[in-house]
Amino acid sequence: MKKLFTLFAAIVACNVAMAQIPNHSFELWDSSAGFKQPVSWGNPDSLTHILSVYPCEWDYPGYSGPSYMKLTSKNTGLGVVPGVAISGKINYTTFGPRSGFANTTRPAALTGAWQYMAFGSDQGHIAVLLSKWNTTTNSRDTVSFTDYLLPGMV
């Protein structure tokens, strides 16, 4: 299967939101599990590290700092694991978000920088989901969602 190369140099939000996104510059990495994991970002490496497969990797130099997060979809022999990172906790079944982080502001914009190269029919994207906990139904209500498809090569 074709591989998807997505190289995140940095995601930098507007001045108000920048401080809200945990580890927004991808400078903090934890090696306590025996491999580097971006602090506050869920990714598939916890599942695939036993196969020495790392869809989410640390690399340098970064766009606006010393490091960046490199995401690459990888074939494990059991199937392809997507190069994905979630600001919060990841659902290992769907590789989507299980939870995020609390945001108490109303940012006017979300901006960032990335390097991306599509390979074959693979398509990368950046998604932002805002939700609110509903105490009446004890479930999460979606407030806003956007999905930006990355162009063929940037």
Side-chain angles (χ1 to χ4, degrees):
M1 198 166 215
K2 304 289 184 190
K3 290 184 179 177
L4 167 71
F5 290 129
T6 306
L7 182 62
F8 279 93
I11 293 180
V12 181
C14 69
N15 291 339
V16 175
M18 188 182 302
Q20 289 288 324
I21 298 175
N23 195 16
H24 67 276
S25 62
F26 309 118
E27 300 303 326
L28 304 174
W29 292 75
D30 179 14
S31 299
S32 64
F35 55 95
K36 287 189 175 209
Q37 295 251 67
V39 173
S40 301
W41 288 80
N43 63 75
D45 289 4
S46 293
L47 291 178
T48 61
H49 78 279
I50 58 174
L51 302 170
S52 297
V53 174
Y54 303 97
C56 178
E57 298 176 283
W58 172 89
D59 211 341
Y60 69 92
Y63 175 77
S64 63
S67 65
Y68 65 90
M69 180 189 308
K70 179 179 179 180
L71 300 173
T72 309
S73 294
K74 300 213 173 169
N75 192 338
T76 65
L78 303 171
V80 174
V81 176
V84 63
I86 307 290
S87 181
K89 297 190 191 247
I90 190 168
N91 178 325
Y92 291 113
T93 304
T94 65
F95 297 111
R98 194 176 90 204
S99 69
F101 62 92
N103 182 12
T104 58
T105 64
R106 291 181 176 255
L110 176 67
T111 59
W114 62 87
Q115 181 179 339
Y116 171 76
M117 181 175 68
F119 189 74
S121 62
D122 288 335
Q123 180 69 52
H125 69 262
I126 296 173
V128 177
L129 172 83
L130 301 175
S131 63
K132 182 177 180 181
W133 187 255
N134 185 327
T135 55
T136 305
T137 62
N138 281 333
S139 63
R140 194 165 304 285
D141 292 337
T142 299
V143 175
S144 179
F145 177 78
T146 189
D147 189 14
Y148 176 72
L149 295 176
L150 298 175
M153 179 162 306
V154 176

